[in-house]
Amino acid sequence: MQQVALVTGSNRGIGFEIAKQLALKKIQVVLTSRNPTNGDVALRKLTRDGIKKVVFMQLDVSNQVSVDGLSNEVEKTFGRLDILVNNAAILIDRDDVVASNADLEIIKATLETNLIGAWRMCKAFIPLMKKNGYGRIVNVSSGAGQFEYMATSGGYWPAYSVSKTSLNALTVMLASELRGTNILVNAVCPGWVRTDMGGSNAPRSVEEGAAIPVWLATLPDGGPTGHNYYDKKQISW
Ligand code: NAP
């Protein structure tokens, strides 16, 4: 059976690399981008490298109409979705902002993409996964969402941090709800990675950042669920 994977925010950065690595494993990949031109450029980069099992579909995770349109298109085209990687995220906290003076509009906008965007995607695709008795959901989170980090960070990146903590909470709830359905749900911190978000000083390449999300996306039946990972090690919430 041809497996189908969808990666949110896969026109660049870690998401692009996850899409590429999944396609190299002969999985049919739906590469998504909120900007169709950028999505098309990303798709052409892959096809130029001889990677064929990729199609592009437009997706803005902060827009319910966009998510509904995409889920209809995926169901019509493939009739299934085996792997969902919730990778799309924004980090728009100003560097000088801490929790006590955070801009609530920034918090709302961040949650809309990083938490509710992923939640929308889960709601849209879990029914299809249930129908096929198979699913792997990977929530690309961050060490910034760990309680331990927040307890010692001095309130740095408040909107981003809280959005990733809530994404972790969603991971735990879904994993618990879906136990016994063969839908495995895990969160992962990719590490500090050289992307537009991570910046050029980050120690990890996108290949390194994508490796564990890809591992979690391709877990065997009976694999772990409801955990948070850094490399292949379970980490605390
Ligand atoms: P990035 O280079 O900034 O790329 C983010 C991607 O998300 C882009 O494709 C962007 O699309 C997309 N996106 C943002 N808002 C979206 C929306 N509303 N709908 C659809 N797509 C949207 O980030 P990255 O470094 O690759 O990060 C990928 C994931 O890893 C994120 O979840 C991030 O929080 C996590 N992470 C990264 C690091 C790091 O060091 N880089 C560390 C820990 C965790 P556009 O091109 O249209 O903006």
Side-chain angles (χ1 to χ4, degrees), residues 23 33 60-61 124 133 144 150 156 164 174:
S33 169
D60 180 344
V61 298
M150 290 188 293
Y156 191 51
K164 294 299 190 180
L174 287 176

Side-chain angles (χ1 to χ4, degrees), residues 8-16 18 32-35 38 58-63 66 86-91 112-114 117 139-144 157 160 163-164 167 188-199 202-204 206 209 213:
T8 69
S10 43
N11 54 293
R12 63 186 167 101
I14 299 168
F16 177 77
I18 294 170
T32 64
S33 169
R34 57 182 164 176
N35 177 311
N38 295 344
Q58 196 272 339
L59 171 67
D60 180 344
V61 298
S62 69
N63 181 326
S66 175
N86 286 312
N87 165 81
I90 53 173
L91 198 181
E112 188 64 50
T113 295
N114 299 7
N139 291 329
V140 183
S141 189
S142 168
W157 289 348
Y160 181 76
S163 76
K164 294 299 190 180
L167 181 64
V188 55
C189 170
W192 185 19
V193 179
R194 286 187 297 281
T195 61
D196 293 338
M197 185 186 288
R204 288 195 168 184
V206 283

Side-chain angles (χ1 to χ4, degrees), residues 80-129:
R80 60 188 299 123
L81 188 75
D82 300 283
I83 297 165
L84 169 62
V85 182
N86 286 312
N87 165 81
I90 53 173
L91 198 181
I92 54 174
D93 293 275
R94 283 205 339 250
D95 280 349
D96 58 341
V97 167
V98 286
S100 62
N101 65 8
D103 179 337
L104 296 181
E105 292 307 317
I106 297 278
I107 294 173
K108 281 191 210 163
T110 304
L111 288 175
E112 188 64 50
T113 295
N114 299 7
L115 169 67
I116 300 175
W119 208 325
R120 270 195 194 98
M121 292 298 291
C122 291
K123 283 190 67 179
F125 285 103
I126 285 171
L128 195 53
M129 290 178 166

